[in-house]
């Protein structure tokens, strides 16, 4: 089965939702506001998204695709350097203007039911990120890539929350040190 054609109306709805959901939160933004921002008819909105929750899941899927593309752009060097580059990129993005936290963590806070489609989209992103870290660690010869990938995911969560709460410059240094420590197996020389 081929992928659905991405219409300009669908793109405008998704772009408007991305801006609004990230800036104001998912539950505070209504469908009518998204429709007005996107400049589409209500029927057009519902032609592309059966429900607002479908739009939220599409928004998160789009965010995951963007993060996958960013990670791919950072790849190419040694696996360890790629892991460090991913975390440097996250820290840098978190220090930028308009940073409002992680769209996945933000959405998860608004949808507590783990069986909800929005939470499943959050879970897909988390599985992808954990898998990326695990694969890079395995390629680097790390003795416990799965467990270390879990630790790196928790560190990522702390970084994207901390960026909104703490001094970004200090957090960037602290994150680099933490990732380097996690990448060095216990008992190995740093």
């Amino acid at each position: 089965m081929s992928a659905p054609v991405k219409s300009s109306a669908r793109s405008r709805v998704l772009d408007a939702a991305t801006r609004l959901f990230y800036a104001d939160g998912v539950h505070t933004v209504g469908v009518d506001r998204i429709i007005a921002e996107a400049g589409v008819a209500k029927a057009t909105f519902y032609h592309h998204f059966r429900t607002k929750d479908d739009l939220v899941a599409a928004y998160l899927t789009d965010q995951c695709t963007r993060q996958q593309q960013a990670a791919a752009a950072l790849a190419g060097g040694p696996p360890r350097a790629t892991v460090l580059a991913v975390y440097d990129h996250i820290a840098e993005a978190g220090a930028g203007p308009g940073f409002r936290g992680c769209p996945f963590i933000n959405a998860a806070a608004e949808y507590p039911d783990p069986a909800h489609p929005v939470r499943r989209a959050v879970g897909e992103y988390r599985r992808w990120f954990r898998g990326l870290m695990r694969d890079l660690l395995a390629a680097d010869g790390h003795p416990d890539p799965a467990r270390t990938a879990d630790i790196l995911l928790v560190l990522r969560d702390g970084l994207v929350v901390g960026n909104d709460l703490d001094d970004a410059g200090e957090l960037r240094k602290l994150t680099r040190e933490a990732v380097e420590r996690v990448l060095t197996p216990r008992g190995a020389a740093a």
Side-chain angles (χ1 to χ4, degrees):
M1 182 174 233
S2 63
V5 176
K6 192 172 180 182
S7 76
S8 64
R10 184 183 192 283
S11 294
R12 287 195 319 271
V13 169
L14 192 54
D15 290 346
T18 296
R19 282 190 314 277
L20 295 170
F21 290 161
Y22 190 69
D24 298 336
V26 172
H27 286 318
T28 62
V29 176
V31 169
D32 290 338
R33 185 171 171 204
I34 295 166
I35 289 169
E37 290 270 335
V40 300
K42 192 173 270 199
T44 301
F45 174 89
Y46 286 109
H47 170 75
H48 293 289
F49 303 99
R50 236 177 9 91
T51 66
K52 179 181 173 185
D53 286 348
D54 289 342
L55 174 59
V56 177
Y59 153 67
L60 292 173
T61 299
D62 185 60
Q63 291 302 303
C64 184
T65 300
R66 290 171 191 240
Q67 297 216 6
Q68 290 168 342
Q69 292 167 342
L74 297 170
R80 181 184 178 101
T82 300
V83 171
L84 290 166
V86 166
Y87 279 85
D88 289 344
H89 176 75
I90 294 168
E92 201 61 38
F99 181 75
R100 304 258 311 133
C102 169
F104 303 100
I105 292 174
N106 294 349
E110 294 192 54
Y111 289 86
D113 178 4
H116 193 281
V118 169
R119 284 295 292 271
R120 288 197 305 265
V122 170
E124 284 299 315
Y125 167 76
R126 294 176 69 74
R127 278 186 286 287
W128 166 77
F129 189 86
R130 184 182 285 117
L132 172 66
M133 293 297 111
R134 182 194 60 239
D135 293 349
L136 288 167
L137 291 162
D140 195 49
H142 195 283
D144 192 1
R147 184 65 173 167
T148 305
D150 290 341
I151 293 167
L152 286 170
L153 179 62
V154 170
L155 181 60
R156 179 219 166 271
D157 292 345
L159 173 60
V160 296
V161 171
N163 261 327
D164 202 32
L165 302 172
D166 297 321
D167 174 72
E170 183 57 33
L171 192 59
R172 199 174 307 130
K173 291 181 224 167
L174 184 61
T175 299
R176 175 52 89 118
E177 181 182 338
V179 172
E180 287 175 348
R181 286 185 186 194
V182 168
L183 293 177
T184 304
R186 279 189 240 165

